[in-house]
PDB file of all heavy atoms in Angstrom:
ATOM      1  N   VAL A   1      18.265  -3.921   1.362  1.00 89.00           N
ATOM      2  CA  VAL A   1      17.990  -4.143  -0.059  1.00 89.00           C
ATOM      3  C   VAL A   1      16.722  -4.995  -0.259  1.00 89.00           C
ATOM      4  O   VAL A   1      16.252  -5.131  -1.389  1.00 89.00           O
ATOM      5  CB  VAL A   1      19.190  -4.837  -0.756  1.00 89.00           C
ATOM      6  CG1 VAL A   1      20.351  -3.899  -0.894  1.00 89.00           C
ATOM      7  CG2 VAL A   1      19.595  -6.116  -0.021  1.00 89.00           C
ATOM      8  N   ARG A   2      16.157  -5.515   0.797  1.00 90.00           N
ATOM      9  CA  ARG A   2      14.919  -6.276   0.682  1.00 90.00           C
ATOM     10  C   ARG A   2      13.692  -5.359   0.574  1.00 90.00           C
ATOM     11  O   ARG A   2      12.579  -5.844   0.355  1.00 90.00           O
ATOM     12  CB  ARG A   2      14.738  -7.182   1.906  1.00 90.00           C
ATOM     13  CG  ARG A   2      15.845  -8.212   2.092  1.00 90.00           C
ATOM     14  CD  ARG A   2      15.510  -9.139   3.236  1.00 90.00           C
ATOM     15  NE  ARG A   2      16.654  -9.950   3.615  1.00 90.00           N
ATOM     16  CZ  ARG A   2      16.588 -11.024   4.398  1.00 90.00           C
ATOM     17  NH1 ARG A   2      15.431 -11.400   4.892  1.00 90.00           N
ATOM     18  NH2 ARG A   2      17.661 -11.707   4.711  1.00 90.00           N
ATOM     19  N   ARG A   3      13.877  -4.058   0.720  1.00 94.00           N
ATOM     20  CA  ARG A   3      12.734  -3.145   0.695  1.00 94.00           C
ATOM     21  C   ARG A   3      12.246  -2.874  -0.732  1.00 94.00           C
ATOM     22  O   ARG A   3      13.041  -2.562  -1.620  1.00 94.00           O
ATOM     23  CB  ARG A   3      13.108  -1.818   1.335  1.00 94.00           C
ATOM     24  CG  ARG A   3      13.308  -1.831   2.843  1.00 94.00           C
ATOM     25  CD  ARG A   3      13.872  -0.488   3.272  1.00 94.00           C
ATOM     26  NE  ARG A   3      13.864  -0.304   4.730  1.00 94.00           N
ATOM     27  CZ  ARG A   3      14.390   0.730   5.350  1.00 94.00           C
ATOM     28  NH1 ARG A   3      14.986   1.668   4.624  1.00 94.00           N
ATOM     29  NH2 ARG A   3      14.335   0.841   6.661  1.00 94.00           N
ATOM     30  N   TRP A   4      10.964  -2.952  -0.922  1.00 96.00           N
ATOM     31  CA  TRP A   4      10.305  -2.446  -2.127  1.00 96.00           C
ATOM     32  C   TRP A   4      10.195  -0.939  -1.978  1.00 96.00           C
ATOM     33  O   TRP A   4       9.978  -0.440  -0.852  1.00 96.00           O
ATOM     34  CB  TRP A   4       8.927  -3.081  -2.261  1.00 96.00           C
ATOM     35  CG  TRP A   4       8.315  -3.038  -3.623  1.00 96.00           C
ATOM     36  CD1 TRP A   4       8.929  -3.267  -4.814  1.00 96.00           C
ATOM     37  CD2 TRP A   4       6.929  -2.764  -3.929  1.00 96.00           C
ATOM     38  NE1 TRP A   4       8.035  -3.164  -5.856  1.00 96.00           N
ATOM     39  CE2 TRP A   4       6.785  -2.858  -5.338  1.00 96.00           C
ATOM     40  CE3 TRP A   4       5.811  -2.457  -3.158  1.00 96.00           C
ATOM     41  CZ2 TRP A   4       5.578  -2.648  -5.979  1.00 96.00           C
ATOM     42  CZ3 TRP A   4       4.605  -2.266  -3.795  1.00 96.00           C
ATOM     43  CH2 TRP A   4       4.491  -2.357  -5.185  1.00 96.00           C
ATOM     44  N   PRO A   5      10.337  -0.138  -3.052  1.00 96.00           N
ATOM     45  CA  PRO A   5      10.359   1.327  -2.910  1.00 96.00           C
ATOM     46  C   PRO A   5       9.084   1.863  -2.259  1.00 96.00           C
ATOM     47  O   PRO A   5       7.977   1.392  -2.523  1.00 96.00           O
ATOM     48  CB  PRO A   5      10.481   1.812  -4.349  1.00 96.00           C
ATOM     49  CG  PRO A   5      11.145   0.680  -5.074  1.00 96.00           C
ATOM     50  CD  PRO A   5      10.608  -0.571  -4.430  1.00 96.00           C
ATOM     51  N   LEU A   6       9.235   2.887  -1.402  1.00 97.00           N
ATOM     52  CA  LEU A   6       8.088   3.501  -0.756  1.00 97.00           C
ATOM     53  C   LEU A   6       7.107   4.090  -1.767  1.00 97.00           C
ATOM     54  O   LEU A   6       5.879   4.064  -1.567  1.00 97.00           O
ATOM     55  CB  LEU A   6       8.541   4.593   0.219  1.00 97.00           C
ATOM     56  CG  LEU A   6       9.163   4.135   1.551  1.00 97.00           C
ATOM     57  CD1 LEU A   6       9.499   5.351   2.405  1.00 97.00           C
ATOM     58  CD2 LEU A   6       8.227   3.198   2.306  1.00 97.00           C
ATOM     59  N   THR A   7       7.646   4.631  -2.853  1.00 97.00           N
ATOM     60  CA  THR A   7       6.763   5.197  -3.884  1.00 97.00           C
ATOM     61  C   THR A   7       5.871   4.131  -4.486  1.00 97.00           C
ATOM     62  O   THR A   7       4.702   4.393  -4.818  1.00 97.00           O
ATOM     63  CB  THR A   7       7.594   5.871  -4.990  1.00 97.00           C
ATOM     64  OG1 THR A   7       8.590   4.937  -5.477  1.00 97.00           O
ATOM     65  CG2 THR A   7       8.299   7.116  -4.466  1.00 97.00           C
ATOM     66  N   SER A   8       6.398   2.907  -4.629  1.00 98.00           N
ATOM     67  CA  SER A   8       5.604   1.814  -5.168  1.00 98.00           C
ATOM     68  C   SER A   8       4.521   1.383  -4.162  1.00 98.00           C
ATOM     69  O   SER A   8       3.367   1.114  -4.558  1.00 98.00           O
ATOM     70  CB  SER A   8       6.502   0.621  -5.503  1.00 98.00           C
ATOM     71  OG  SER A   8       7.451   0.942  -6.485  1.00 98.00           O
ATOM     72  N   TYR A   9       4.883   1.357  -2.885  1.00 98.00           N
ATOM     73  CA  TYR A   9       3.871   1.048  -1.860  1.00 98.00           C
ATOM     74  C   TYR A   9       2.771   2.101  -1.878  1.00 98.00           C
ATOM     75  O   TYR A   9       1.576   1.784  -1.805  1.00 98.00           O
ATOM     76  CB  TYR A   9       4.522   1.012  -0.479  1.00 98.00           C
ATOM     77  CG  TYR A   9       5.070  -0.338  -0.085  1.00 98.00           C
ATOM     78  CD1 TYR A   9       6.434  -0.544   0.078  1.00 98.00           C
ATOM     79  CD2 TYR A   9       4.212  -1.417   0.153  1.00 98.00           C
ATOM     80  CE1 TYR A   9       6.928  -1.781   0.446  1.00 98.00           C
ATOM     81  CE2 TYR A   9       4.693  -2.668   0.539  1.00 98.00           C
ATOM     82  CZ  TYR A   9       6.071  -2.847   0.667  1.00 98.00           C
ATOM     83  OH  TYR A   9       6.540  -4.064   1.041  1.00 98.00           O
ATOM     84  N   ALA A  10       3.156   3.371  -1.963  1.00 98.00           N
ATOM     85  CA  ALA A  10       2.177   4.452  -1.942  1.00 98.00           C
ATOM     86  C   ALA A  10       1.208   4.354  -3.109  1.00 98.00           C
ATOM     87  O   ALA A  10      -0.016   4.499  -2.919  1.00 98.00           O
ATOM     88  CB  ALA A  10       2.903   5.803  -1.944  1.00 98.00           C
ATOM     89  N   GLU A  11       1.721   4.108  -4.309  1.00 98.00           N
ATOM     90  CA  GLU A  11       0.839   4.013  -5.472  1.00 98.00           C
ATOM     91  C   GLU A  11      -0.062   2.782  -5.349  1.00 98.00           C
ATOM     92  O   GLU A  11      -1.248   2.839  -5.698  1.00 98.00           O
ATOM     93  CB  GLU A  11       1.672   3.944  -6.745  1.00 98.00           C
ATOM     94  CG  GLU A  11       0.817   3.959  -7.995  1.00 98.00           C
ATOM     95  CD  GLU A  11       1.619   4.094  -9.278  1.00 98.00           C
ATOM     96  OE1 GLU A  11       2.807   4.498  -9.197  1.00 98.00           O
ATOM     97  OE2 GLU A  11       1.075   3.821 -10.362  1.00 98.00           O
ATOM     98  N   THR A  12       0.482   1.680  -4.834  1.00 98.00           N
ATOM     99  CA  THR A  12      -0.324   0.471  -4.655  1.00 98.00           C
ATOM    100  C   THR A  12      -1.468   0.723  -3.694  1.00 98.00           C
ATOM    101  O   THR A  12      -2.623   0.343  -3.959  1.00 98.00           O
ATOM    102  CB  THR A  12       0.565  -0.668  -4.114  1.00 98.00           C
ATOM    103  OG1 THR A  12       1.568  -0.991  -5.082  1.00 98.00           O
ATOM    104  CG2 THR A  12      -0.275  -1.919  -3.811  1.00 98.00           C
ATOM    105  N   ILE A  13      -1.178   1.362  -2.561  1.00 98.00           N
ATOM    106  CA  ILE A  13      -2.211   1.670  -1.574  1.00 98.00           C
ATOM    107  C   ILE A  13      -3.278   2.569  -2.174  1.00 98.00           C
ATOM    108  O   ILE A  13      -4.485   2.357  -1.992  1.00 98.00           O
ATOM    109  CB  ILE A  13      -1.583   2.294  -0.316  1.00 98.00           C
ATOM    110  CG1 ILE A  13      -0.732   1.250   0.422  1.00 98.00           C
ATOM    111  CG2 ILE A  13      -2.655   2.864   0.599  1.00 98.00           C
ATOM    112  CD1 ILE A  13       0.098   1.839   1.553  1.00 98.00           C
ATOM    113  N   SER A  14      -2.857   3.578  -2.934  1.00 97.00           N
ATOM    114  CA  SER A  14      -3.821   4.517  -3.520  1.00 97.00           C
ATOM    115  C   SER A  14      -4.753   3.813  -4.501  1.00 97.00           C
ATOM    116  O   SER A  14      -5.966   4.051  -4.509  1.00 97.00           O
ATOM    117  CB  SER A  14      -3.057   5.640  -4.238  1.00 97.00           C
ATOM    118  OG  SER A  14      -2.287   6.396  -3.320  1.00 97.00           O
ATOM    119  N   VAL A  15      -4.180   2.926  -5.326  1.00 97.00           N
ATOM    120  CA  VAL A  15      -5.010   2.192  -6.282  1.00 97.00           C
ATOM    121  C   VAL A  15      -5.985   1.267  -5.574  1.00 97.00           C
ATOM    122  O   VAL A  15      -7.175   1.193  -5.912  1.00 97.00           O
ATOM    123  CB  VAL A  15      -4.130   1.396  -7.269  1.00 97.00           C
ATOM    124  CG1 VAL A  15      -4.997   0.501  -8.158  1.00 97.00           C
ATOM    125  CG2 VAL A  15      -3.287   2.335  -8.118  1.00 97.00           C
ATOM    126  N   LEU A  16      -5.515   0.558  -4.547  1.00 97.00           N
ATOM    127  CA  LEU A  16      -6.369  -0.381  -3.812  1.00 97.00           C
ATOM    128  C   LEU A  16      -7.487   0.347  -3.088  1.00 97.00           C
ATOM    129  O   LEU A  16      -8.628  -0.156  -3.027  1.00 97.00           O
ATOM    130  CB  LEU A  16      -5.533  -1.194  -2.836  1.00 97.00           C
ATOM    131  CG  LEU A  16      -4.630  -2.262  -3.447  1.00 97.00           C
ATOM    132  CD1 LEU A  16      -3.689  -2.843  -2.389  1.00 97.00           C
ATOM    133  CD2 LEU A  16      -5.454  -3.373  -4.086  1.00 97.00           C
ATOM    134  N   LEU A  17      -7.207   1.539  -2.553  1.00 97.00           N
ATOM    135  CA  LEU A  17      -8.248   2.320  -1.877  1.00 97.00           C
ATOM    136  C   LEU A  17      -9.334   2.703  -2.880  1.00 97.00           C
ATOM    137  O   LEU A  17     -10.526   2.763  -2.525  1.00 97.00           O
ATOM    138  CB  LEU A  17      -7.654   3.550  -1.226  1.00 97.00           C
ATOM    139  CG  LEU A  17      -6.849   3.323   0.049  1.00 97.00           C
ATOM    140  CD1 LEU A  17      -6.110   4.578   0.460  1.00 97.00           C
ATOM    141  CD2 LEU A  17      -7.736   2.823   1.177  1.00 97.00           C
ATOM    142  N   GLY A  18      -8.940   2.973  -4.117  1.00 95.00           N
ATOM    143  CA  GLY A  18      -9.931   3.333  -5.126  1.00 95.00           C
ATOM    144  C   GLY A  18     -10.721   2.132  -5.633  1.00 95.00           C
ATOM    145  O   GLY A  18     -11.856   2.285  -6.072  1.00 95.00           O
ATOM    146  N   GLN A  19     -10.116   0.959  -5.557  1.00 95.00           N
ATOM    147  CA  GLN A  19     -10.749  -0.248  -6.098  1.00 95.00           C
ATOM    148  C   GLN A  19     -11.593  -0.994  -5.071  1.00 95.00           C
ATOM    149  O   GLN A  19     -12.536  -1.697  -5.450  1.00 95.00           O
ATOM    150  CB  GLN A  19      -9.687  -1.203  -6.643  1.00 95.00           C
ATOM    151  CG  GLN A  19      -8.978  -0.740  -7.895  1.00 95.00           C
ATOM    152  CD  GLN A  19      -7.968  -1.780  -8.381  1.00 95.00           C
ATOM    153  OE1 GLN A  19      -7.671  -2.757  -7.695  1.00 95.00           O
ATOM    154  NE2 GLN A  19      -7.452  -1.546  -9.572  1.00 95.00           N
ATOM    155  N   THR A  20     -11.231  -0.886  -3.795  1.00 94.00           N
ATOM    156  CA  THR A  20     -11.831  -1.749  -2.783  1.00 94.00           C
ATOM    157  C   THR A  20     -12.717  -0.958  -1.842  1.00 94.00           C
ATOM    158  O   THR A  20     -12.227  -0.095  -1.086  1.00 94.00           O
ATOM    159  CB  THR A  20     -10.728  -2.434  -1.948  1.00 94.00           C
ATOM    160  OG1 THR A  20      -9.770  -3.036  -2.827  1.00 94.00           O
ATOM    161  CG2 THR A  20     -11.322  -3.513  -1.045  1.00 94.00           C
ATOM    162  N   PRO A  21     -14.013  -1.219  -1.855  1.00 91.00           N
ATOM    163  CA  PRO A  21     -14.907  -0.492  -0.938  1.00 91.00           C
ATOM    164  C   PRO A  21     -14.570  -0.810   0.520  1.00 91.00           C
ATOM    165  O   PRO A  21     -14.175  -1.928   0.861  1.00 91.00           O
ATOM    166  CB  PRO A  21     -16.290  -1.051  -1.315  1.00 91.00           C
ATOM    167  CG  PRO A  21     -16.128  -1.628  -2.685  1.00 91.00           C
ATOM    168  CD  PRO A  21     -14.720  -2.131  -2.756  1.00 91.00           C
ATOM    169  N   ARG A  22     -14.689   0.192   1.355  1.00 94.00           N
ATOM    170  CA  ARG A  22     -14.524   0.049   2.805  1.00 94.00           C
ATOM    171  C   ARG A  22     -13.163  -0.542   3.172  1.00 94.00           C
ATOM    172  O   ARG A  22     -13.048  -1.348   4.096  1.00 94.00           O
ATOM    173  CB  ARG A  22     -15.641  -0.819   3.391  1.00 94.00           C
ATOM    174  CG  ARG A  22     -17.046  -0.307   3.096  1.00 94.00           C
ATOM    175  CD  ARG A  22     -18.089  -1.082   3.844  1.00 94.00           C
ATOM    176  NE  ARG A  22     -17.909  -0.866   5.286  1.00 94.00           N
ATOM    177  CZ  ARG A  22     -18.865  -0.408   6.103  1.00 94.00           C
ATOM    178  NH1 ARG A  22     -20.043  -0.107   5.607  1.00 94.00           N
ATOM    179  NH2 ARG A  22     -18.646  -0.274   7.391  1.00 94.00           N
ATOM    180  N   LEU A  23     -12.131  -0.142   2.475  1.00 97.00           N
ATOM    181  CA  LEU A  23     -10.780  -0.633   2.785  1.00 97.00           C
ATOM    182  C   LEU A  23     -10.104   0.257   3.812  1.00 97.00           C
ATOM    183  O   LEU A  23     -10.144   1.485   3.739  1.00 97.00           O
ATOM    184  CB  LEU A  23      -9.931  -0.688   1.524  1.00 97.00           C
ATOM    185  CG  LEU A  23      -8.474  -1.167   1.709  1.00 97.00           C
ATOM    186  CD1 LEU A  23      -8.456  -2.620   2.172  1.00 97.00           C
ATOM    187  CD2 LEU A  23      -7.679  -1.018   0.423  1.00 97.00           C
ATOM    188  N   ARG A  24      -9.485  -0.378   4.807  1.00 97.00           N
ATOM    189  CA  ARG A  24      -8.638   0.297   5.782  1.00 97.00           C
ATOM    190  C   ARG A  24      -7.227  -0.288   5.666  1.00 97.00           C
ATOM    191  O   ARG A  24      -7.066  -1.502   5.507  1.00 97.00           O
ATOM    192  CB  ARG A  24      -9.169   0.118   7.193  1.00 97.00           C
ATOM    193  CG  ARG A  24     -10.504   0.819   7.462  1.00 97.00           C
ATOM    194  CD  ARG A  24     -10.302   2.316   7.461  1.00 97.00           C
ATOM    195  NE  ARG A  24     -11.527   3.053   7.774  1.00 97.00           N
ATOM    196  CZ  ARG A  24     -12.368   3.542   6.873  1.00 97.00           C
ATOM    197  NH1 ARG A  24     -12.116   3.315   5.581  1.00 97.00           N
ATOM    198  NH2 ARG A  24     -13.427   4.205   7.220  1.00 97.00           N
ATOM    199  N   VAL A  25      -6.227   0.584   5.750  1.00 98.00           N
ATOM    200  CA  VAL A  25      -4.825   0.147   5.594  1.00 98.00           C
ATOM    201  C   VAL A  25      -4.070   0.476   6.877  1.00 98.00           C
ATOM    202  O   VAL A  25      -3.983   1.662   7.279  1.00 98.00           O
ATOM    203  CB  VAL A  25      -4.164   0.852   4.386  1.00 98.00           C
ATOM    204  CG1 VAL A  25      -2.718   0.371   4.230  1.00 98.00           C
ATOM    205  CG2 VAL A  25      -4.951   0.579   3.105  1.00 98.00           C
ATOM    206  N   ALA A  26      -3.511  -0.550   7.492  1.00 98.00           N
ATOM    207  CA  ALA A  26      -2.711  -0.387   8.704  1.00 98.00           C
ATOM    208  C   ALA A  26      -1.234  -0.557   8.369  1.00 98.00           C
ATOM    209  O   ALA A  26      -0.814  -1.632   7.918  1.00 98.00           O
ATOM    210  CB  ALA A  26      -3.130  -1.407   9.754  1.00 98.00           C
ATOM    211  N   LEU A  27      -0.445   0.505   8.554  1.00 98.00           N
ATOM    212  CA  LEU A  27       1.001   0.447   8.320  1.00 98.00           C
ATOM    213  C   LEU A  27       1.660   0.022   9.612  1.00 98.00           C
ATOM    214  O   LEU A  27       1.364   0.569  10.679  1.00 98.00           O
ATOM    215  CB  LEU A  27       1.527   1.811   7.880  1.00 98.00           C
ATOM    216  CG  LEU A  27       0.795   2.504   6.718  1.00 98.00           C
ATOM    217  CD1 LEU A  27       1.432   3.864   6.426  1.00 98.00           C
ATOM    218  CD2 LEU A  27       0.808   1.615   5.471  1.00 98.00           C
ATOM    219  N   ILE A  28       2.557  -0.969   9.547  1.00 98.00           N
ATOM    220  CA  ILE A  28       3.179  -1.490  10.759  1.00 98.00           C
ATOM    221  C   ILE A  28       4.691  -1.377  10.688  1.00 98.00           C
ATOM    222  O   ILE A  28       5.279  -1.173   9.623  1.00 98.00           O
ATOM    223  CB  ILE A  28       2.780  -2.966  11.003  1.00 98.00           C
ATOM    224  CG1 ILE A  28       3.285  -3.858   9.858  1.00 98.00           C
ATOM    225  CG2 ILE A  28       1.259  -3.103  11.175  1.00 98.00           C
ATOM    226  CD1 ILE A  28       3.177  -5.346  10.142  1.00 98.00           C
ATOM    227  N   GLY A  29       5.314  -1.566  11.833  1.00 96.00           N
ATOM    228  CA  GLY A  29       6.762  -1.519  11.956  1.00 96.00           C
ATOM    229  C   GLY A  29       7.149  -1.370  13.411  1.00 96.00           C
ATOM    230  O   GLY A  29       6.281  -1.189  14.283  1.00 96.00           O
TER     231      GLY A  29
END
């Protein structure tokens, strides 16, 4: 129950990629 929804993570990543030049996103686990 501590998880934030994956759909919310996906939208956040998409917005940040559009806003931040030269952004790389590393997913971990």
Side-chain angles (χ1 to χ4, degrees):
V1 289
R2 299 185 192 194
R3 289 172 169 175
W4 199 43
L6 285 183
T7 52
S8 298
Y9 271 113
E11 185 171 343
T12 297
I13 291 171
S14 297
V15 173
L16 287 171
L17 286 170
Q19 291 181 350
T20 310
R22 303 188 65 124
L23 179 64
R24 292 290 183 266
V25 181
L27 309 179
I28 63 169

